[in-house]
């Protein structure tokens, strides 16, 4: 397609911009479902070159009547799209349901269609290097594999809770209410904590299994050693969640707060324990060379949850060191969570976090390219996560300042993942005119159909798998994507790629 639009559409009030490429006529027509032209807009002949495309942006915000439309310019046209009050509602519910589909240790029934399966990974897990067995069933499978890892779990939980905080009304119920779904993960995380407060980094088999359904992976489960990144992330996520569940189930909230304090006591007493796969374990590493940002995030959440003097002091000490830098939101760098959450802290700590969020958002604004995202030359593995993370930060800045520029930039991140990109995909399976359809995701491959509601990792300019190397040689960064399940570096799915999209979408739906 040579006219890119958000394939899920727009609300009547939203700014609407189509991205045109190739030879352009002087005008763009908006046609309704009956094929009648309802609006004609001039096309500015100025062009921007990006990723091998010569682009022109055309504003058709004057279209505000609800309906289904297509755009036309010379020979080029767009996929059909709607203008509607709630164009993202169903997609948001599906993105949350995806977490339910990823449940481990749970009988999935007919509500999941062909993805139904008996409870998986229910055996006891052995602590690496010992004969000790621990019961750690539950949680969500991380991604296209069936591992369960604490570090990305903490990011996922934080994103979904932020989404809920930003706009609870956005969540019409899908399979489960959103807070029940997050609790499924939190209950598993609690099982991953050792008696001394430390938290095991992950529970997986020794290696990734073949493309089979979850209950067919029956190799022994192994708990990998504890790390301070996992323990600090756990402390942060538990402290944060305990505030959200206070009014729902005070006893559960108290359990999480105590678990967070125990985890904090462990990291306070220990130097960094950084994770690397031990001998014989070949599943995802989520390795990270620095745990200061995880400690900072934990300090901020504990300050918010426990109040009093001691934790705010710890948070202030950390803030004094780190707030001069940028504030990314990832699985490896949690400074953005410290910054966004820390905006609620009293006094100078809160001030400094608010400055920090604005500074980060301004840094992102400066980098926005013609396709609307802030990464141009290099797109990392899971770049769609970064796009959504950036959207979240921009949205947080909008909430703080109510400046339109931030909201519009956040919307651009959403439009990009839903269709305004150089490969014309809606990167969410089951949605849009051209959905990503062949994810690197074991249940989808086993059943021969894509599970719905999953965000693809998206372009990875490093061409980090054989399929990508073979198919994408010489492609510009934004086009380094192949909708093939063999391409795990461009087309896997993850709980923590869905989660920032959940937050971004919910935020925008309420803005
Ligand atoms: O999301 C992770 C990405 O940032 C890394 O570059 C990549 C390679 O180490 O690993 C990704 O995480 C994978 C994890 O290790 C195992 N489950 C699937 C994850 C997504 O591909
Ligand atoms: Zn499982």
């Amino acid at each position: 397609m040579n006219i890119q639009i958000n394939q899920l559409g727009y609300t009547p009030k939203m700014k609407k911009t189509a991205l045109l490429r190739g030879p352009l006529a002087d005008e763009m027509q908006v046609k309704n479902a009956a094929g009648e032209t309802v609006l004609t807009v001039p096309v500015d002949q100025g062009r921007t070159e990006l990723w091998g495309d010569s682009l022109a942006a055309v504003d058709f915000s004057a279209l505000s009547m609800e309906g289904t439309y297509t755009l036309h310019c010379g020979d080029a046209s767009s996929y059909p799209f709607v203008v509607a009050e709630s164009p993202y509602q169903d997609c948001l519910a599906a993105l949350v349901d995806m977490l339910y589909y990823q449940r481990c240790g749970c009988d999935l029934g007919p509500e999941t269609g062909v993805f139904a399966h008996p409870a998986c990974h229910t055996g006891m897990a052995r602590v690496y290097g010992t004969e000790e067995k621990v019961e750690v069933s539950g949680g969500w499978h991380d991604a296209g594999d069936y591992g369960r890892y604490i570090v990305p779990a903490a990011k996922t939980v934080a994103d979904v809770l932020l989404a809920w905080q930003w706009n609870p009304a956005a969540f019409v119920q899908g399979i489960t209410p959103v807070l029940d779904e997050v609790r499924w993960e939190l209950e598993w995380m609690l099982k991953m904590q050792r008696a001394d407060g430390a938290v095991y980094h992950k529970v997986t088999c020794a290696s990734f299994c073949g493309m089979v359904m979850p209950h067919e992976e029956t190799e022994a489960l192994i708990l990998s050693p504890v790390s301070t990144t996992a323990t600090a992330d756990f402390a942060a996520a538990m402290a944060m969640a305990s505030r959200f569940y206070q009014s729902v189930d005070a006893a559960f909230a108290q359990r999480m707060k105590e678990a967070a304090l125990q985890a904090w006591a462990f990291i306070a007493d220990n130097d960094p324990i950084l994770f690397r796969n031990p001998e014989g374990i070949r599943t995802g590493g989520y390795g990270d060379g620095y745990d200061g940002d995880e400690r900072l995030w934990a300090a901020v959440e504990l300050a918010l949850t426990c109040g009093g003097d001691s934790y705010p002091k710890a948070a202030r000490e950390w803030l004094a060191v780190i707030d001069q830098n940028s504030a990314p939101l990832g699985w490896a760098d949690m400074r953005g969570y410290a910054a966004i959450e820390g905006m609620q802290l009293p006094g100078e700590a809160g001030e400094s976090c608010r400055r920090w969020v604005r500074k980060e958002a301004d840094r992102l604004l400066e980098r926005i390219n013609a396709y609307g995202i802030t990464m141009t030359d290099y797109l990392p593995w899971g770049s769609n996560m970064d796009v959504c993370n950036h959207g979240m930060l921009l949205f947080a800045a909008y909430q703080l300042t109510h400046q339109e520029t931030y909201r519009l930039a956040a919307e651009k991140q959403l439009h990009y993942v839903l269709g305004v990109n150089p490969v014309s995909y809606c990167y969410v399976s089951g949605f849009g005119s051209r959905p990503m359809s062949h994810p690197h995701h074991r249940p989808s491959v086993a059943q021969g159909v894509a599970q719905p509601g999953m965000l693809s990792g998206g372009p990875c300019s490093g061409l980090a798998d054989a399929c990508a190397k073979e198919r994408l040689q010489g492609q510009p960064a934004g086009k380094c994507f192949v909708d093939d399940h063999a391409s795990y570096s461009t087309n896997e799915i993850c709980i923590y790629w869905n989660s920032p999209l959940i937050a971004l979408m919910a935020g925008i739906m309420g803005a």
Side-chain angles (χ1 to χ4, degrees):
M1 280 290 155
N2 283 327
I3 305 184
Q4 317 296 344
I5 38 92
N6 180 332
Q7 294 175 23
L8 297 197
Y10 304 84
T11 66
K13 282 193 212 138
M14 246 178 179
K15 176 167 174 159
K16 305 174 189 71
T17 310
L19 209 52
L20 278 55
R21 68 178 165 200
L24 300 182
D26 294 340
E27 289 178 339
M28 183 181 87
Q29 286 86 34
V30 182
K31 295 187 179 174
N32 64 16
E36 299 153 355
T37 298
V38 294
L39 180 71
T40 301
V41 274
V43 174
D44 182 339
Q45 295 296 311
R47 297 300 195 97
T48 309
E49 303 297 321
L50 178 60
W51 295 330
D53 293 338
S54 183
L55 299 164
V58 183
D59 190 316
F60 62 104
S61 305
L63 181 70
S64 60
M65 224 181 27
E66 293 193 26
T68 302
Y69 303 94
T70 48
L71 305 179
H72 303 263
C73 180
D75 293 339
S77 60
S78 73
Y79 288 121
F81 61 92
V82 297
V83 174
E85 272 311 325
S86 275
Y88 313 125
Q89 191 88 75
D90 293 347
C91 185
L92 181 66
L95 291 166
V96 175
D97 283 349
M98 176 269 198
L99 299 171
Y100 179 85
Y101 279 85
Q102 295 289 111
R103 279 187 181 199
C104 186
C106 179
D107 274 308
L108 294 190
E111 68 284 356
T112 57
V114 299
F115 298 100
H117 64 77
C120 52
H121 305 106
T122 48
M124 303 277 274
R126 187 172 57 80
V127 177
Y128 183 84
T130 74
E131 289 310 315
E132 188 190 345
K133 296 277 180 75
V134 186
E135 200 283 309
V136 287
S137 64
W140 300 312
H141 300 135
D142 182 49
D145 66 307
Y146 299 132
R148 287 168 287 150
Y149 311 77
I150 288 292
V151 163
K155 167 171 172 54
T156 312
V157 163
D159 290 339
V160 181
L161 292 179
L162 278 173
W164 175 257
Q165 179 178 312
W166 286 347
N167 188 9
F171 294 91
V172 295
Q173 194 184 316
I175 299 176
T176 54
V178 65
L179 287 187
D180 289 8
E181 201 45 50
V182 174
R183 183 169 180 164
W184 181 263
E185 184 77 341
L186 290 164
E187 296 275 11
W188 163 71
M189 290 173 77
L190 287 166
K191 295 182 182 178
M192 293 288 283
Q193 186 172 35
R194 239 169 35 181
D196 64 353
V199 178
Y200 295 109
H201 197 77
K202 61 174 173 175
V203 56
T204 67
C205 300
S207 307
F208 293 128
C209 64
M211 291 294 172
V212 297
M213 288 296 282
H215 63 290
E216 293 168 333
E217 185 185 58
T218 52
E219 297 293 299
L221 292 171
I222 304 163
L223 278 160
S224 280
V226 302
S227 68
T228 47
T229 48
T231 306
D233 274 345
F234 172 97
M238 287 295 158
M240 179 183 186
S242 97
R243 300 198 303 280
F244 284 79
Y245 288 84
Q246 184 58 41
S247 60
V248 180
D249 180 344
F252 179 54
Q254 182 63 24
R255 244 172 88 208
M256 290 194 287
K257 180 170 155 182
E258 282 163 15
L261 288 168
Q262 278 170 19
W264 176 264
F266 181 87
I267 51 173
D269 278 354
N270 281 276
D271 288 337
I273 305 170
L274 302 175
F275 187 79
R276 282 191 56 195
N277 263 339
E279 178 79 43
I281 304 280
R282 286 171 294 273
T283 48
Y286 294 109
D288 180 349
Y290 180 61
D291 72 1
D293 48 293
E294 285 81 6
R295 289 172 187 256
L296 169 68
W297 181 33
V300 167
E301 295 295 354
L302 281 162
L304 289 168
T305 302
C306 303
D309 283 340
S310 59
Y311 291 105
K313 182 160 165 280
R316 272 200 302 278
E317 281 166 9
W318 281 105
L319 285 168
V321 190
I322 312 188
D323 78 335
Q324 296 311 308
N325 299 313
S326 71
L329 300 162
W331 56 260
D333 197 332
M334 313 314 283
R335 282 176 291 176
Y337 294 96
I340 290 176
E341 287 284 275
M343 293 197 290
Q344 305 166 65
L345 287 170
E348 178 49 36
E351 279 297 315
S352 121
C353 287
R354 289 188 286 274
R355 277 198 306 273
W356 193 8
V357 166
R358 285 194 69 154
K359 205 164 62 180
E360 180 69 9
D362 290 340
R363 201 179 64 84
L364 292 170
L365 282 182
E366 277 171 23
R367 297 183 181 183
I368 289 193
N369 67 24
Y371 272 107
I373 68 168
T374 67
M375 301 168 291
T376 298
D377 300 327
Y378 171 75
L379 269 65
W381 186 317
S383 62
N384 282 343
M385 172 193 80
D386 297 86
V387 172
C388 296
N389 286 344
H390 297 157
M392 283 179 71
L393 257 157
L394 289 160
F395 182 77
Y398 169 69
Q399 274 206 319
L400 176 66
T401 61
H402 294 285
Q403 282 179 20
E404 286 283 281
T405 357
Y406 295 130
R407 183 172 57 78
L408 294 174
E411 287 177 6
K412 282 187 178 177
Q413 312 312 302
L414 184 71
H415 297 330
Y416 170 90
V417 294
L418 300 178
V420 184
N421 56 64
V423 287
S424 310
Y425 273 102
C426 173
Y427 281 120
V428 179
S429 56
F431 287 84
S433 295
R434 190 178 194 217
M436 174 279 278
S437 304
H438 305 283
H440 179 84
H441 175 249
R442 282 168 175 71
S444 300
V445 177
Q447 300 305 328
V449 56
Q451 184 181 294
M454 304 189 295
L455 176 67
S456 166
C460 171
S461 56
L463 306 187
D465 63 69
C467 175
K469 282 193 175 75
E470 188 192 318
R471 308 261 298 269
L472 300 169
Q473 224 38 267
Q475 287 290 334
K479 292 178 179 169
C480 289
F481 171 73
V482 47
D483 186 12
D484 188 317
H485 68 77
S487 181
Y488 51 84
S489 68
T490 78
N491 204 26
E492 191 165 352
I493 61 85
C494 276
I495 54 172
Y496 58 94
W497 297 346
N498 262 50
S499 61
L501 180 55
I502 289 172
L504 174 60
M505 210 176 245
I508 286 175
M509 283 165 70

